[in-house]
Amino acid sequence: SNFSLVDVKISDTRSDAFDGDFSIGRIEGSSFQRVGGDAIDFSGSKIEVKDSKFLTVADKAVSVGEQSFLVGRNLQIVDVGTGIVSKDGSQTQVEGVTFGETQYYEVMAYTKKPQYGSATLVVDNALGDKPLRSVAQKKSSLSLNGEKIPTKKLNVDALYDGYMAK
């Protein structure tokens, strides 16, 4: 599908707020609040997100997977499980993001489904109330504020059996 969400507010959802599979679209000036799953979740998609807020999200604010391409600008991410995740062959680039109250990691790059390959995540001009936490699985690539984050072995199955379990 093709879509455009402009000045949309999605709140009080039990699971994912917006799930776009094989989509092309943009989200602008929107807010996602009190979300029980992921705020926005993409698979096989090409997406632009700008000037949007993600507040009180149980799982991931921005989940980019299965060979998606996402460009984001001017995002506010507060009180979430995890901020921005790029996984499974996805390429994600975000410029200008403010993080507050993240339970686990602000940014992550990893492979959950090996058939899609490794992920890339570039986040520049990111701010937070405390030092930003990041993790990049071996073979994936993560750059945070111009610094390439060293990769490490990551048990993704354990992540999804643990705090990312649905």
Side-chain angles (χ1 to χ4, degrees):
S1 66
N2 293 328
F3 72 90
S4 182
L5 299 177
V6 178
D7 298 327
V8 171
K9 179 179 179 181
I10 299 176
S11 62
D12 300 299
T13 66
R14 292 177 54 110
S15 57
D16 294 352
F18 185 81
D19 205 331
D21 295 342
F22 309 103
S23 299
I24 298 172
R26 71 184 182 109
I27 298 171
E28 183 176 348
S30 295
S31 69
F32 301 83
Q33 299 177 348
R34 295 178 304 281
V35 176
D38 297 333
I40 57 175
D41 183 353
F42 298 103
S43 297
S45 297
K46 186 174 180 179
I47 307 298
E48 179 185 16
V49 182
K50 67 181 195 177
D51 303 323
S52 293
K53 298 178 182 183
F54 305 86
L55 311 170
T56 312
V57 177
D59 199 357
K60 297 175 282 300
V62 179
S63 181
V64 186
E66 297 178 2
Q67 297 178 332
S68 290
F69 297 88
L70 183 139
V71 174
R73 284 192 310 273
N74 301 324
L75 307 181
Q76 182 182 8
I77 299 175
V78 178
D79 189 23
V80 300
T82 302
I84 302 168
V85 171
S86 186
K87 61 186 184 296
D88 302 330
S90 294
Q91 296 179 30
T92 305
Q93 186 168 358
V94 177
E95 172 73 29
V97 59
T98 302
F99 292 101
E101 298 301 320
T102 301
Q103 190 171 4
Y104 301 106
Y105 293 97
E106 280 74 25
V107 292
M108 299 179 77
Y110 58 85
T111 301
K112 180 180 176 187
K113 299 174 182 175
Q115 65 269 31
Y116 291 102
S118 56
T120 301
L121 175 57
V122 176
V123 179
D124 287 315
N125 295 318
L127 304 170
D129 325 1
K130 54 187 176 181
L132 301 178
R133 293 165 294 169
S134 59
V135 65
Q137 183 185 34
K138 288 203 178 290
K139 297 185 181 177
S140 287
S141 174
L142 174 58
S143 173
L144 179 58
N145 290 333
E147 179 184 342
K148 183 144 176 82
I149 304 301
T151 61
K152 67 179 191 176
K153 187 174 180 178
L154 180 66
N155 185 339
V156 175
D157 290 337
L159 283 177
Y160 283 86
D161 286 340
Y163 74 87
M164 286 187 180
K166 289 197 176 193

